[in-house]
Amino acid sequence: MEYKDTILDLIGNTPLIKINKINKGLRPQIFAKLESANPGGSVKDRIGYSMIVDAEKKGTLKPGGTIIEATSGNTGIGLAITAAVKGYRCLFVCTDKVSSEKINYLKAFGADVIVVPNTYEPDHPEYYVNVARRIHEETPNSVFAYQYGNPSNPEMHYRTTGPEIWRQTKGKITHFVSSIGTGGTISGTGRFLKEKNPNIQVIGADPIGSIFKHYKETGEIIKGTPYLVEGIGQDCLPANVHFQYIDKIINISDKDSFAAARRLTKEEGIFCGGSTGTIVHVVLEIAKNLTENDVIVFIVCDTGERYLSKVYNEAWLQMNRMLDTEVKVLGDISYNKKRKGFGGMVYVHDNATIRQALKIMSSKGFTYLPVLNGSLKPVGSLREGHVLSRMLDDPKMLDAPVKEIMEESFRVLDAKSSIAEVRNALKEAPAVLVSNFGRITDIITRYDLIDFE
Ligand code: PMP
């Protein structure tokens, strides 16, 4: 009889699929590493398996134990598959950004799923990773898988994904393109490939709003802003992102990611999710400058079935202004700024001193600054001219908090506001603040609008 002992024997050894159509006019050979062919439909089955087996070996996971994880869904699915075979319980904490398909998938495996709002910052106790850690501390005989810092994550890609790609391309790979979520895939695979041939370029695909690209280029940690692509990018730095194995990181918008995912599906028949779209857009961009001798391998992170209510739903795309035919909105001005290399939004806290605010203004060259309170709600604004004239009158004020001299806050407009609304608001005031999913994410000045148009 021909059979596998368990479903776990199907994890890994995924095929490479040649790309034939979406790369028309481009010279390199391009291959998709079909991680969606894993039994749970994503690249995360590999680490679901390794994190459980390694915890068993270390003795931290014992019979009857509970596995707890903070997950955007796929790692949960990967853990749930191995846990089902080995007889462990699972409890997952997801944010409300995760598609309902993925949450229902986790429940199908008998896992408990807790959904928390996506709006909390990493230092808040209700941030999904902090909630998972707290539940672990309160649950006897439990382990916290913690894919963001658990070495079993990159290690599994070093031991399996990297060697598979090297073998499948007979060592001819020149460029490896991956997204960066926990960093496990790119760090482990990248390390293996670079050990084989240090000339292989390892390239990260990062959503606009994530902090990785800016950190790689400047060493500075900026504030992240929300985006719609699931499972990749971060607003803090996971220990599993090993930047030394990443040569370059490229930022891609939600709209370009979803369009590329839909093309890979419709033209190559490879059904994929949004994060694969972010990667595919990067692949097509870098391929323009490469030759016939180059061989690009990219990761298909997961299957599109997981996003039928989102990336493959016209109504959802339209509601989120992700279709090309749509009129431009305030969010597009913000994207335009970020594409041109401006970092995150610059602001001051209301209890910062006037001296600190002036320093920020002069070092960044800004004449306006929004003032936000401890909950990052806008409470006022600073104009350089006004601040300086107050200081001329009373220089002792320099060490007073900005809230003592700040003026009225700039108007807040939703990222979906029309350009006409933005233009009207900017006729009345020099700047407006952008609100995205309930968070202030940018400041747009008259200059930004003119530059956009
Ligand atoms: N795409 C999706 C849909 C994911 O869920 C993840 C993992 N969170 C990734 C890509 C990125 O993989 P990694 O965590 O290994 O960087």
Side-chain angles (χ1 to χ4, degrees):
M1 289 188 287
E2 193 181 322
Y3 63 91
K4 303 283 181 197
D5 279 336
T6 72
I7 191 82
L8 305 182
D9 292 338
L10 291 182
I11 297 174
N13 283 315
T14 54
L16 281 192
I17 312 288
K18 186 163 171 284
I19 297 302
N20 299 300
K21 285 156 81 182
I22 60 170
N23 52 337
K24 220 166 151 211
L26 299 171
R27 289 182 292 258
Q29 290 192 74
I30 305 176
F31 297 101
K33 175 79 171 152
L34 203 68
E35 289 302 294
S36 51
N38 280 303
S42 94
V43 63
K44 297 300 195 154
D45 286 1
R46 294 179 190 261
I47 70 154
Y49 177 80
S50 68
M51 291 195 296
I52 289 180
V53 171
D54 291 351
E56 284 176 332
K57 281 187 198 149
K58 271 195 287 179
T60 48
L61 181 58
K62 299 184 194 73
T66 302
I67 297 153
I68 294 173
E69 181 60 313
T71 169
S72 64
N74 285 332
T75 300
I77 293 168
L79 286 164
I81 291 175
T82 300
V85 172
K86 290 176 168 280
Y88 297 109
R89 266 192 67 210
C90 288
L91 186 149
F92 300 121
V93 183
C94 303
T95 71
D96 54 6
K97 174 175 163 180
V98 172
S99 72
S100 55
E101 289 91 327
K102 282 194 272 188
I103 290 175
N104 289 336
Y105 203 132
L106 295 172
K107 289 183 178 166
F109 276 82
D112 290 321
V113 183
I114 293 172
V115 181
V116 298
N118 187 39
T119 42
Y120 293 115
E121 307 272 331
D123 54 1
H124 194 283
E126 296 307 312
Y127 183 64
Y128 75 122
V129 180
N130 301 336
V131 173
R133 184 179 287 111
R134 194 166 66 235
I135 294 173
H136 157 59
E137 283 159 7
E138 291 164 0
T139 308
N141 195 14
S142 70
V143 287
F144 182 28
Y146 195 49
Q147 54 177 327
Y148 302 96
N150 187 333
S152 306
N153 170 4
E155 194 57 32
M156 183 64 172
H157 292 289
Y158 178 79
R159 280 195 283 117
T160 64
T161 322
E164 287 169 29
I165 293 173
W166 182 253
R167 187 169 25 83
Q168 288 168 316
T169 60
K170 299 201 165 14
K172 290 186 183 144
I173 177 173
T174 57
H175 294 74
F176 173 62
V177 186
S178 169
S179 54
I180 318 170
T182 62
T185 311
I186 199 164
S187 305
T189 313
R191 179 177 148 223
F192 181 87
L193 293 173
K194 279 192 176 287
E195 280 177 10
K196 284 290 179 192
N197 174 1
N199 294 327
I200 294 173
Q201 294 293 296
V202 175
I203 296 160
D206 194 33
I208 290 181
S210 162
I211 67 170
F212 292 140
K213 176 185 190 301
H214 191 81
Y215 179 78
K216 170 82 188 160
E217 289 172 7
T218 63
E220 185 193 6
I221 300 178
I222 50 167
K223 212 161 198 53
T225 55
Y227 46 86
L228 293 168
V229 174
E230 291 179 38
I232 60 172
Q234 294 293 341
D235 40 16
C236 55
L237 291 179
N240 278 337
V241 188
H242 302 160
F243 285 94
Q244 69 270 35
Y245 305 120
I246 307 173
D247 294 285
K248 190 178 172 140
I249 299 180
I250 298 176
N251 270 161
I252 303 297
S253 70
D254 282 330
K255 191 187 255 181
D256 286 343
S257 299
F258 296 148
R262 288 156 68 86
R263 277 194 76 194
L264 191 72
T265 300
K266 282 188 184 156
E267 297 179 42
E268 305 286 345
I270 300 176
F271 200 17
C272 69
S275 66
T276 306
T278 313
I279 297 175
V280 168
H281 195 92
V282 166
V283 167
L284 299 180
E285 204 166 294
I286 63 163
K288 286 180 196 154
N289 300 318
L290 299 179
T291 69
E292 290 77 9
N293 301 325
D294 290 303
V295 175
I296 307 175
V297 175
F298 72 88
I299 298 283
V300 175
C301 311
D302 67 356
T303 150
E305 263 175 83
R306 227 142 269 188
Y307 310 92
L308 286 171
S309 65
K310 292 183 162 184
V311 185
Y312 298 96
N313 174 349
E314 295 282 327
W316 184 86
L317 289 169
Q318 208 154 17
M319 188 178 76
N320 287 288
R321 306 214 179 242
M322 289 293 138
L323 294 175
D324 257 350
T325 48
E326 246 116 38
V327 286
K328 299 278 188 249
V329 292
L330 177 57
D332 294 312
I333 307 180
S334 201
Y335 273 149
N336 184 52
K337 251 177 83 178
K338 286 178 183 152
R339 208 174 296 134
K340 291 188 173 177
F342 289 97
M345 181 179 69
V346 177
Y347 64 91
V348 277
H349 277 295
D350 54 357
N351 51 11
T353 64
I354 297 167
R355 191 188 297 278
Q356 286 166 329
L358 281 171
K359 205 165 157 198
I360 295 173
M361 283 178 160
S362 75
S363 67
K364 301 272 182 187
F366 294 148
T367 34
Y368 303 104
L369 273 189
V371 182
L372 307 187
N373 67 12
S375 326
L376 299 182
K377 297 280 173 253
V379 289
S381 67
L382 296 177
R383 271 183 302 142
E384 192 182 35
H386 170 81
V387 179
L388 288 174
S389 71
R390 289 286 303 266
M391 292 310 106
L392 285 178
D393 288 342
D394 186 3
K396 285 200 289 297
M397 285 286 289
L398 268 172
D399 291 308
V402 294
K403 59 181 148 206
E404 292 196 12
I405 60 152
M406 69 190 182
E407 297 175 272
E408 201 186 350
S409 167
F410 298 121
R411 217 174 121 192
V412 177
L413 289 182
D414 190 87
K416 292 182 193 135
S417 307
S418 71
I419 299 294
E421 274 176 86
V422 178
R423 191 177 300 111
N424 282 340
L426 287 177
K427 277 181 191 157
E428 286 160 24
V432 292
L433 298 177
V434 185
S435 161
N436 220 335
F437 309 101
R439 259 162 68 180
I440 302 298
T441 55
D442 207 355
I443 175 168
I444 295 296
T445 62
R446 289 168 178 159
Y447 172 81
D448 297 326
L449 175 62
I450 293 164
D451 185 51
F452 177 74
E453 292 184 322

